[in-house]
Amino acid sequence: MTVRLKGAVIGCGFFAQNHLHGWADLDDVEIVAVCDVDEAKARAAAEKFGIARIYTSAETMFASEALDFVDIPTTMETHEALAGLAFAHGVPVILQKPFAPDLDACRRIVAAAAAANVPLMIHEDFRFQNLFRTVRQILDSGELGRLTFGRLSWRTGIDVYSNQPYLANVKRFMIMDVGIHLLDLARFLFGEANGVFCRTQQIQEGIAGEDAATILLSHEQGATSILDFSYATKRDPDPFPQTLGEIEGTEGTLVIGADQVLTVYGKGGTRRIAVPQDGRAWTSEPWTQIQDSVVHTQRHFIDSLRSGVEPETSGRDSLATYALLEAAYLSAASGRLIHPERLVGDPA
Ligand code: NAD
Ligand code: 89Y
């Protein structure tokens, strides 16, 4: 019989509810403790998900619990300190995106994990959507030939500020919040990028950062990709939170349409693939696509702990995604093309 891994969740806020549901869906995992500086949130999570112990201090929790892993779905400014505590106790970490406020902090976290010899994965869930796993399979089949172009488009007018009010106050807003998902997807689909050009816009008044951006990437294997994303798009129906777009290769084209429908134009003609959702009891529209992917991300983390194989979005791997983010902000500020490999460097 598989031994159940004992985990804890630090941060029981808005998005953590999906994490808590997700862990409850995995038979070989048990969440034994939750922690939030806001005791009411920790208590509510423990009651809702039948979790034995609550803490308001991560220090106390690590000193009291024997954990096989910890999940940290707090906002990024807390990540270095909380992950550092976990490493000091030898506890593997899965950390929500964005990784940390800047690339130096990401490097320090990766170096601390390596020094403690503790696994670290970034919870980057878009690449774990059913949709993008199917896209990856189609690319791997070779049906499209050599990739030449890709566009990933994520545009919405939803009121993101009511669920996530902190987003209105951050200077580095939309590339950090959604662009990071698309940058990771671009690496997943088109390979590493060696050139980044970006333009940002602030469309809504009264917020601190950019709420729209367009990024152009040149990929080492030859493709060009465009990532465009906006929180200020008036559209009906609003596609939130779907990523739409297309991928072109020397032998065909794949269109990523709404409602998880892929259209493949290849040598054998045209076919449509309706990618299913998981059908989990707790998910609800419009969030289902993301909620399903949370569970797949968690599954991947647990499988990587059990097998000892580095996860796809390990801390180390995610430095390359974060370097693209820093390159995008540098490009937007300077109006220049930036070469991200010069930013990655070695972990401190
Ligand atoms: P939130 O503010 O609602 O929740 C964070 C919680 O962490 C709060 O309850 C807060 O009290 C708690 N907290 C903060 N510092 C703590 C500490 N030191 N110890 C214990 N608890 C602490 O934030 P949110 O909207 O849930 O977002 C959390 C993260 O999830 C953000 O980084 C956001 O970008 C990310 N997110 C990811 C996705 C996705 O699709 N992957 C979607 C939404 C949000
Ligand atoms: O914060 C964003 C994210 O990471 O995924 C969806 C989201 O919660 C709102 O756009």
Side-chain angles (χ1 to χ4, degrees):
M1 206 182 75
T2 312
V3 176
R4 295 177 91 195
L5 296 187
K6 292 189 188 329
V9 175
I10 304 180
C12 303
F14 165 65
F15 200 69
Q17 304 310 307
N18 298 315
H19 288 230
L20 290 159
H21 275 295
W23 293 124
D25 276 4
L26 299 189
D27 290 340
D28 59 338
V29 165
E30 182 187 5
I31 299 300
V32 296
V34 283
C35 172
D36 199 299
V37 286
D38 182 336
E39 186 178 345
K41 288 189 184 171
R43 192 170 298 286
E47 281 170 10
K48 185 169 176 190
F49 293 95
I51 295 162
R53 291 174 291 284
I54 69 165
Y55 296 88
T56 54
S57 149
E59 283 93 337
T60 310
M61 186 183 80
F62 283 114
S64 317
E65 299 285 340
L67 299 171
D68 296 310
F69 72 92
V70 66
D71 178 21
I72 309 183
T74 56
T75 46
M76 65 181 171
E77 66 284 354
T78 62
H79 288 178
E80 188 170 2
L82 291 171
L85 273 175
F87 302 148
H89 288 83
V91 177
V93 174
I94 180 163
L95 200 56
Q96 248 300 345
K97 53 62 64 174
F99 197 155
D102 56 51
L103 186 55
D104 282 344
C106 300
R107 282 202 203 97
R108 288 194 300 272
I109 298 172
V110 170
N117 197 21
V118 172
L120 166 67
M121 175 172 164
I122 302 305
H123 180 116
E124 177 43 73
D125 46 35
F126 276 32
R127 69 158 68 197
F128 288 102
Q129 291 175 9
N130 288 335
L131 182 71
F132 285 106
R133 290 285 142 174
T134 307
V135 170
R136 189 58 261 170
Q137 281 172 6
I138 294 167
L139 301 186
D140 287 342
S141 77
E143 194 175 354
L144 301 189
R146 182 172 50 78
L147 299 188
T148 53
F149 176 78
R151 187 173 64 86
L152 300 173
S153 180
W154 196 97
R155 311 189 75 82
T156 182
I158 59 139
D159 171 20
V160 67
Y161 313 101
S162 53
N163 285 330
Q164 297 170 255
Y166 51 89
L167 292 176
N169 306 321
V170 284
K171 286 222 166 70
R172 303 210 300 177
F173 168 20
M174 199 166 180
I175 304 178
M176 199 70 126
D177 186 51
V178 172
I180 192 85
H181 289 302
L182 300 187
L183 289 166
D184 180 66
L185 266 184
R187 290 183 61 227
F188 179 57
L189 300 174
F190 314 125
E192 299 303 338
N194 53 16
V196 180
F197 187 80
C198 176
R199 178 164 189 252
T200 56
Q201 293 162 281
Q202 186 188 319
I203 298 168
Q204 174 153 326
E205 288 176 10
I207 58 172
E210 80 284 359
D211 55 357
T214 307
I215 300 176
L216 188 142
L217 300 172
S218 54
H219 292 271
E220 286 174 0
Q221 288 157 18
T224 297
S225 71
I226 294 174
L227 318 179
D228 63 274
F229 40 103
S230 156
Y231 273 127
T233 298
K234 313 285 183 246
R235 191 182 286 189
D236 184 24
D238 190 312
F240 175 86
Q242 302 179 60
T243 307
L244 309 176
E246 57 258 322
I247 300 175
E248 295 178 10
T250 49
E251 308 295 328
T253 295
L254 184 163
V255 174
I256 304 164
D259 303 324
Q260 304 211 129
V261 176
L262 299 173
T263 305
V264 187
Y265 306 90
K267 275 185 183 153
T270 301
R271 65 197 161 90
R272 287 194 165 64
I273 303 165
V275 179
Q277 293 176 332
D278 293 350
R280 296 173 192 279
W282 54 272
T283 57
S284 61
E285 289 302 327
W287 287 91
T288 310
Q289 187 183 56
I290 286 187
Q291 290 168 319
D292 283 348
S293 75
V294 165
V295 194
H296 307 157
T297 310
Q298 294 172 326
R299 180 75 266 158
H300 182 74
F301 174 62
I302 296 299
D303 289 346
S304 77
L305 290 185
R306 290 192 184 280
S307 66
V309 174
E310 182 175 333
E312 286 182 24
T313 56
S314 66
R316 191 190 59 79
D317 175 86
S318 300
L319 290 178
T321 307
Y322 211 98
L324 297 182
L325 174 141
E326 291 286 9
Y329 278 115
L330 267 175
S331 172
S334 64
R336 289 169 178 272
L337 176 75
I338 305 294
H339 297 286
E341 63 274 17
R342 294 187 196 147
L343 302 175
V344 181
D346 290 325

